[in-house]
Amino acid sequence: MSDVIQLLPDSVANQIAAGEVIQRPASVIKELVENAIDAGATAINVLVTDAGRTSIQVIDNGRGMSETDARLAFERHATSKIRKADDLFALHTMGFRGEALASVAAVAQVELRTRMADNEVGTLLTLSGSKVVGQEPVSCPVGSNFKVENLFFNVPARRKFLKTNATELNNIMTAFERIVLVYPQVCFTLHSNGSELLNLKAGSLRQRISDVFGKRYSQDLLPVDVNTSMCHVSGFVGKPESARKKGVHDYFFVNGRFMKHAYFHKAVQNAYDRMVPVGMQVPYFLYFEVNPADIDVNIHPTKTEIKFENEQAIWQILSAAVKDAIGKFCGVPSIDFDTEGRPDIPVFDPTRKVESPMPQYNPSYNPFKEHSERKTTMPDDWQQLYEGLRPSAEEQNLFDGSLAPASLEGVGGEVPLIEDKSPVHYQYKATYIMTAVKSGLMIIDQYRADVRILYDRYLEQLHTHTGKSQQVLFPEIVRFAPSDAVVLEKLLPELEAIGFNLSDFGQYAYAVNGIPAGIEGIDFVALLHNIVSDATENVGGAFDEIGHFVALSMARSAAIPHGQVLSNEEMESVINQLFACSNVNYTPDGKAILCILPQRDIEQLLG
């Protein structure tokens, strides 16, 4: 019997590793930029074409590589970061496995130009599908210039399942943000199809956050700085009023590496208990400096999951640090200079002698001997005071019970509703509309019902482009993060179709000149951010999906909220419009709108 176990060729092994390391164009940028940082670069330029499908170029001014190192860097497990197994527990670099460049070269066509400061000429290395096509000397500046073209050209299945350019570009922005927030001392630029998306100068961490997410964003941040023998926690957390339901920027970094940690996330959010509404989250940018021997970063291919040796103790340190930052902010009283009409409260003077008050009374007063007769006079025209308060004939009949609605009648014959009269509805706790139907008692959630009504209306306006715009008196400037601005550009046609009038101010700022008619009392700035957040999380690129999230976000914001008292006419209008919708039972996101309590169940309860 012949042997069946064989060693895989290097090209096949590299493609297997590439399936874990290189998932999309953003993965290539992450690996190349991290290598540039490890090389000591102070300026890094990233250029992408077609969201990385066609070309990705990363240029840095780092140390560069020699001719031999350039060739060896594309071999599997070839790295300059570690030498022995113990080095895994003393990592001070972003990369360490030696799989990134080999994985990139296995699924793309790569061109590398690199030169060290000691060399007069550099090296040009060309690879395609892990195979070296050519190597020759070339004139180039100090540093490295990686150009990755035709990603997944030899893996058509992987290339086929890439998302739209807008989605992939948003993923690139997300990966880019996770890196630039760690190294504010490094200059970064990002270009897409020749246009500049980000140009970040070296500066402080707060300045870097402002450059990435907008100047107003940093105004809602509180500094955190706690140093213990176990770890050093620094960074910023948001003020309670900065809490949002969606699109919250929350970042953990450990020794300069981005991390996802649900346990620590809970510690931060618990610090805001009873300060923010339920379901709201507060942004934060927190940086941990921990002894590398106390953490393990080699547990996931993407290196975003990190294992801590003293996880519970760090949880308590983190929670105390966030509470301390909030306490310092909330402990400073606000200065109010509006003192007009306020009572003059004198300052306490301990040296001033205060005399006790002297009460005045009549010692000869006896309530049992003296009687004072109170005389009440009634005006002659007192009947005129009560004119107009008599109930009408219909109201008197309703009070007597002769016109009682069907839902209030007694057991026996059914009393029909009066013709040409609207049925009487009942609103329970300003949340639910209760009305009688043939089979029993119908209970309708007023908010969800209005969401369904408005959703169908906005969706129809999107398809027919019949949305009406209400011009605002003073345009409002709305600023977005670069990653959100990429999504917003794709949503602009749908937003204009529904009634928004936006003009680009540059630097990811838009002026809102007009809003859809009917939402005048709504915070349309928050509405736009919610629409972009919904689209960022769920949009797949089709017009129907984009229109769905735009219409749903609009409906959620403009719908009748829980707690709003409605008149009988308003309740009837909601019911009539609901039953004219395409689906009366469920909201667009699948939540039940109404339920019916059958008549027999009511009789059993009262029987």
Side-chain angles (χ1 to χ4, degrees):
M1 185 175 180
S2 60
D3 299 331
V4 295
I5 298 179
Q6 301 178 5
L7 289 174
L8 290 175
D10 290 341
S11 59
V12 178
N14 288 340
Q15 285 198 12
I16 294 174
E20 295 181 350
V21 180
I22 308 302
Q23 300 175 352
R24 50 175 37 97
S27 305
V28 177
I29 293 177
K30 171 183 175 296
E31 300 294 343
L32 295 181
V33 173
E34 287 181 351
N35 285 342
I37 293 173
D38 290 338
T42 58
I44 301 174
N45 303 323
V46 180
L47 302 93
V48 298
T49 304
D50 296 333
R53 296 171 184 269
T54 303
S55 172
I56 298 173
Q57 190 171 8
V58 178
I59 307 171
D60 68 76
N61 62 349
R63 289 187 293 270
M65 290 181 282
S66 65
E67 182 180 356
T68 304
D69 286 346
R71 182 70 175 267
L72 190 60
F74 288 93
E75 299 294 331
R76 287 195 69 201
H77 305 304
T79 179
S80 62
K81 315 299 174 57
I82 59 175
R83 289 290 182 268
K84 55 185 182 298
D86 293 340
D87 292 341
L88 288 172
F89 302 100
L91 290 173
H92 295 280
T93 58
M94 299 293 288
F96 56 88
R97 292 194 181 120
E99 291 183 329
L101 293 181
S103 300
V104 172
V107 293
Q109 298 169 345
V110 182
E111 180 182 283
L112 168 62
R113 299 171 185 264
T114 181
R115 180 172 76 88
M116 299 183 70
D118 299 337
N119 300 334
E120 294 184 357
V121 295
T123 301
L124 171 60
L125 185 65
T126 307
L127 301 94
S128 179
S130 295
K131 296 181 180 179
V132 178
V133 177
Q135 183 174 359
E136 59 185 11
V138 68
S139 176
C140 62
V142 176
S144 300
N145 183 343
F146 285 89
K147 190 173 184 180
V148 181
E149 296 179 317
N150 299 325
L151 186 63
F152 299 128
F153 78 100
N154 55 352
V155 190
R158 179 65 67 88
R159 186 177 179 89
K160 178 181 178 182
F161 285 99
L162 287 177
K163 303 297 183 180
T164 62
N165 285 353
T167 303
E168 293 299 338
L169 185 57
N170 184 65
N171 291 327
I172 290 174
M173 298 288 292
T174 301
F176 200 71
E177 290 169 357
R178 293 175 178 177
I179 299 176
V180 301
L181 289 174
V182 185
Y183 300 95
Q185 71 278 8
V186 179
C187 299
F188 293 91
T189 62
L190 175 62
H191 292 77
S192 174
N193 297 334
S195 61
E196 184 179 86
L197 297 182
L198 279 176
N199 189 347
L200 306 174
K201 305 297 182 182
S204 63
L205 176 58
R206 183 183 283 271
Q207 182 63 39
R208 177 57 56 88
I209 295 174
S210 300
D211 294 340
V212 175
F213 300 110
K215 295 181 179 179
R216 294 184 179 179
Y217 202 88
S218 65
Q219 298 175 1
D220 294 331
L221 297 180
L222 306 174
V224 175
D225 192 3
V226 174
N227 196 1
T228 65
S229 59
M230 190 173 298
C231 68
H232 178 210
V233 182
S234 61
F236 299 93
V237 295
K239 297 178 182 178
E241 55 264 28
S242 66
R244 294 172 58 184
K245 283 188 177 181
K246 297 181 180 180
V248 178
H249 300 288
D250 45 5
Y251 293 90
F252 282 126
F253 301 96
V254 179
N255 294 350
R257 189 186 306 277
F258 173 77
M259 171 190 68
K260 295 180 179 178
H261 207 295
Y263 188 50
F264 289 168
H265 173 78
K266 187 177 180 181
V268 176
Q269 299 302 331
N270 284 352
Y272 292 88
D273 190 21
R274 299 183 181 181
M275 294 185 185
V276 299
V278 178
M280 306 281 278
Q281 295 185 357
V282 179
Y284 56 81
F285 305 85
L286 294 173
Y287 299 77
F288 296 85
E289 294 181 13
V290 187
N291 184 0
D294 296 337
I295 59 175
D296 186 4
V297 301
N298 192 26
I299 62 175
H300 195 274
T302 60
K303 300 178 234 180
T304 58
E305 297 182 10
I306 298 177
K307 183 65 177 176
F308 288 79
E309 181 179 355
N310 303 311
E311 192 172 73
Q312 188 172 1
I314 295 178
W315 190 96
Q316 296 175 350
I317 295 173
L318 175 61
S319 179
V322 176
K323 290 181 179 179
D324 180 63
I326 300 173
K328 290 180 180 178
F329 165 72
C330 297
V332 179
S334 60
I335 301 176
D336 190 0
F337 294 97
D338 186 12
T339 58
E340 184 178 356
R342 300 282 182 87
D344 186 13
I345 302 177
V347 180
F348 175 71
D349 185 4
T351 61
R352 179 184 175 187
K353 184 178 180 181
V354 180
E355 298 180 355
S356 59
M358 299 296 295
Q360 297 180 359
Y361 63 95
N362 184 8
S364 62
Y365 174 73
N366 188 343
F368 299 100
K369 293 183 178 181
E370 299 180 3
H371 299 279
S372 60
E373 296 182 1
R374 284 191 269 177
K375 298 181 180 180
T376 59
T377 59
M378 183 69 68
D380 297 336
D381 55 348
W382 64 270
Q383 293 89 347
Q384 297 179 2
L385 300 175
Y386 298 93
E387 288 184 358
L389 300 181
R390 290 181 178 273
S392 62
E394 294 180 357
E395 293 174 340
Q396 185 64 36
N397 291 336
L398 180 62
F399 178 77
D400 294 339
S402 59
L403 300 184
S407 59
L408 299 179
E409 66 172 75
V411 181
E414 183 174 328
V415 178
L417 296 174
I418 296 181
E419 297 181 359
D420 300 330
K421 290 288 183 180
S422 299
V424 176
H425 309 289
Y426 175 72
Q427 188 181 25
Y428 176 68
K429 290 189 175 180
T431 302
Y432 304 102
I433 300 174
M434 306 176 69
T435 186
V437 294
K438 185 176 181 181
S439 58
L441 183 64
M442 178 183 292
I443 305 174
I444 302 173
D445 188 308
Q446 66 185 40
Y447 169 75
R448 295 181 181 178
D450 207 28
V451 167
R452 165 54 69 179
I453 295 169
L454 296 176
Y455 171 80
D456 286 3
R457 182 186 305 168
Y458 292 138
L459 206 60
E460 178 66 21
Q461 293 176 0
L462 280 172
H463 286 86
T464 59
H465 294 269
T466 57
K468 297 181 180 179
S469 179
Q470 176 68 42
Q471 297 299 309
V472 297
L473 185 59
F474 300 101
E476 182 82 17
I477 304 299
V478 185
R479 300 185 182 275
F480 293 91
S483 56
D484 293 339
V486 172
V487 179
L488 180 64
E489 290 182 1
K490 189 174 183 180
L491 298 177
L492 283 178
E494 284 70 30
L495 293 175
E496 292 176 356
I498 211 168
F500 276 103
N501 184 1
L502 305 177
S503 58
D504 191 354
F505 259 40
Q507 296 296 321
Y508 316 112
Y510 291 83
V512 183
N513 303 313
I515 60 176
I519 66 166
E520 288 77 7
I522 297 175
D523 185 2
F524 52 85
V525 175
L527 172 60
L528 286 172
H529 283 290
N530 290 337
I531 292 175
V532 173
S533 299
D534 288 339
T536 302
E537 297 174 359
N538 302 289
V539 165
F543 171 81
D544 291 340
E545 293 185 5
I546 296 176
H548 163 74
F549 291 112
V550 171
L552 182 56
S553 297
M554 288 279 295
R556 286 172 174 168
S557 299
I560 300 172
H562 291 151
Q564 180 173 333
V565 179
L566 304 178
S567 64
N568 187 64
E569 290 75 13
E570 291 173 333
M571 288 187 284
E572 185 176 1
S573 176
V574 170
I575 294 172
N576 292 337
Q577 293 182 69
L578 174 63
F579 281 88
C581 293
S582 58
N583 189 335
V584 302
N585 296 311
Y586 297 99
T587 61
D589 50 351
K591 296 180 180 179
I593 298 176
L594 55 85
C595 66
I596 296 178
L597 184 62
Q599 180 68 24
R600 62 178 181 273
D601 291 351
I602 299 176
E603 294 175 353
Q604 290 178 358
L605 291 172
L606 299 176

